[in-house]
Amino acid sequence: MSALEVLRFAVKGLLANKMRSVLTTLGISIGVAAVILLTAVGNGASKAIENSIAGLGTNLLTVSPMRGGAATAPRPLTVADAEALADKRIAPDIRTVSPVVVAQATAAHRGVSHSIGQVIGTRPSYFDATSSPVGSGAAFSDSDVTEARKVVVIGQTVAQELFAGDDPLGKQIQLNNIPFTVVGVLAQKGSSGLQNSDDTVVAPLTTLQYALTGTGSLSQVVVQAESAEVITAAQNQITAVLNQRHGITGSAASDFRVQNQQQLLSTRTQAVDVFTTLLAAVAGISLLVGGIGITNIMLVTVTERIREIGIRKAIGAPRGAISGQFLAEATLLSMVGGAIGVLAGWVGSRFSFSGIQPEVLPSSVLLAFGVSVLIGLFFGSYPASRAAKLRPIEALRHE
């Protein structure tokens, strides 16, 4: 019997039980679609993070406190630390230094309230260092910081939520019931999927410290190097200055962390990759379940067609033809299910999830479809072998 005839018999066998065949392929298609879609979401999240961090510039360094590990008691980052880093005599490769405090607050305007993602207190240099241009109005000035004026620059999301399309410039908002005047609106930056960069409010450092956070430690210090070429030198200068100020000597670990954008990107993408792999593994379980379903259905099919098998063997059909037919049926089920799953995964990737636009990887499509075919071959081999081993006399006697 030729391969074409085996395939023809396999198709006839599947069409004889259409509903059963459809339900069997459903399990495979769900698994394939889940693997493709989850890996696409993970890849989209990685791309969003990469674009978000790259948008900050290649010469940006972030200094954040790190509790424990130092020989002496951990010291917080302070404004004095930031001012020391701005001294060109000891840190010549640093262009600007922006001390930062971060708070949570609810903004309100004329009865409309909005919980802000983050409220940042800093200095004017922060806007240029983090590539956060003001789209309308103006940023606050150094004198606003010195005088602790209650002025803010708001993100696009905050402007939309509180003012619903009206011009917010010159109007007041309340941050935790404290009035601030809007002097500028940030240009739109978009969402990385993990954080909405437009859901932010930026205020003078001193104002936010007096009003919300207190005048103690900083959340971080944003440092802009003179260029990407000297970022390593700038990082070494930051470490040397802060180690001296914090009394870190010898082999003792620093009580702060200095990260450049490449390190930050690597850390975040590694976390996303691990999470994506975990989700894909969980989705792969549904492929395994689909394979078990194929085995069960094919065993039922073999039982139902024992007399047919007996007749075919009695008139000379070899074992290979019998096993080939049932193996072809199982493989066709998995291939059709895999194809439907690929289509469903591609359609699902056209929609965004929590601000993340999924990006389908061709390798994930090939892998998921290939695994679905292998599952059909593997889980269909036992029922096919069982059918081929039936003795003609026993098969013909089966009721």
Side-chain angles (χ1 to χ4, degrees):
M1 183 180 288
S2 66
L4 186 60
E5 289 177 318
V6 170
L7 183 61
R8 182 168 59 85
F9 274 108
V11 172
K12 288 180 65 177
L14 294 177
L15 293 179
N17 295 281
K18 296 183 181 64
M19 183 57 66
R20 179 191 298 173
S21 299
V22 169
L23 294 177
T24 305
T25 58
L26 186 60
I28 294 291
S29 61
I30 290 175
V32 170
V35 170
I36 292 173
L37 190 55
L38 289 175
T39 53
V41 171
N43 187 54
S46 295
K47 290 290 185 183
I49 291 172
E50 183 177 348
N51 293 336
S52 177
I53 293 177
L56 296 177
T58 57
N59 62 337
L60 193 68
L61 293 157
T62 303
V63 187
S64 54
M66 185 170 61
R67 301 302 179 188
T72 57
R75 293 179 57 180
L77 291 174
T78 63
V79 173
D81 289 332
E83 291 174 347
L85 294 175
D87 190 341
K88 282 287 186 181
R89 294 171 299 177
I90 56 177
D93 293 311
I94 293 176
R95 179 185 299 174
T96 62
V97 179
S98 306
V100 174
V101 293
V102 179
Q104 301 295 319
T106 298
H109 173 73
R110 291 185 176 179
V112 178
S113 63
H114 172 63
S115 181
I116 302 172
Q118 61 176 355
V119 182
I120 297 171
T122 186
R123 291 176 177 171
S125 57
Y126 176 86
F127 296 100
D128 179 60
T130 59
S131 300
S132 302
V134 176
S136 60
F140 51 79
S141 63
D142 287 322
S143 64
D144 290 327
V145 178
T146 303
E147 300 295 330
R149 296 191 180 102
K150 291 184 175 64
V151 293
V152 290
V153 177
I154 62 177
Q156 292 282 344
T157 297
V158 179
Q160 182 61 37
E161 291 290 336
L162 295 182
F163 296 95
D166 293 339
D167 186 5
L169 297 180
K171 297 178 181 177
Q172 281 197 342
I173 63 172
Q174 286 77 40
L175 297 180
N176 289 357
N177 297 319
I178 301 173
F180 287 80
T181 301
V182 178
V183 295
V185 179
L186 293 170
Q188 186 168 0
K189 298 187 72 173
S191 172
S192 67
L194 301 180
Q195 178 178 318
N196 184 359
S197 300
D198 295 325
D199 191 13
T200 187
V201 168
V202 187
L205 174 68
T206 50
T207 307
L208 204 64
Q209 285 180 319
Y210 296 148
L212 296 176
T213 68
T215 56
S217 61
L218 300 175
S219 301
Q220 60 182 208
V221 178
V222 174
V223 178
Q224 186 181 27
E226 288 289 353
S227 67
E229 288 71 26
V230 298
I231 195 165
T232 301
Q235 190 165 350
N236 292 335
Q237 291 162 15
I238 293 170
T239 302
V241 171
L242 294 183
N243 276 344
Q244 182 179 20
R245 289 186 54 82
H246 290 202
I248 308 298
T249 58
S251 60
S254 300
D255 54 4
F256 57 89
R257 181 188 294 109
V258 184
Q259 285 187 302
N260 59 42
Q261 296 308 294
Q262 197 60 41
Q263 291 170 327
L264 188 59
L265 173 62
S266 176
T267 299
R268 291 190 177 184
T269 52
Q270 283 177 5
V272 171
D273 289 345
V274 170
F275 188 62
T276 302
T277 301
L278 177 62
L279 289 178
V282 172
I285 294 175
S286 62
L287 277 174
L288 180 62
V289 172
I292 295 173
I294 287 178
T295 301
N296 291 334
I297 293 300
M298 294 309 299
L299 286 174
V300 171
T301 301
V302 170
T303 302
E304 290 178 345
R305 293 159 63 182
I306 286 180
R307 288 184 61 83
E308 174 194 331
I309 296 169
I311 293 172
R312 291 184 61 191
K313 296 192 76 172
I315 61 176
R319 279 191 175 188
I322 302 298
S323 63
Q325 176 185 341
F326 286 96
L327 191 59
E329 289 185 21
T331 305
L332 280 174
L333 285 173
S334 62
M335 288 181 66
V336 172
I340 295 174
V342 169
L343 179 62
W346 182 84
V347 171
S349 68
R350 300 301 94 191
F351 303 92
S352 61
F353 298 88
S354 300
I356 298 173
Q357 181 59 52
E359 290 194 16
V360 176
L361 295 174
S363 58
S364 68
V365 174
L366 293 175
L367 178 62
F369 183 76
V371 169
S372 71
V373 174
L374 290 176
I375 281 176
L377 288 170
F378 179 78
F379 285 96
S381 60
Y382 174 68
S385 175
R386 182 177 176 183
K389 290 179 180 179
L390 287 172
R391 297 177 63 184
I393 296 177
E394 293 178 357
L396 289 171
R397 288 176 178 174
H398 182 78
E399 295 295 335

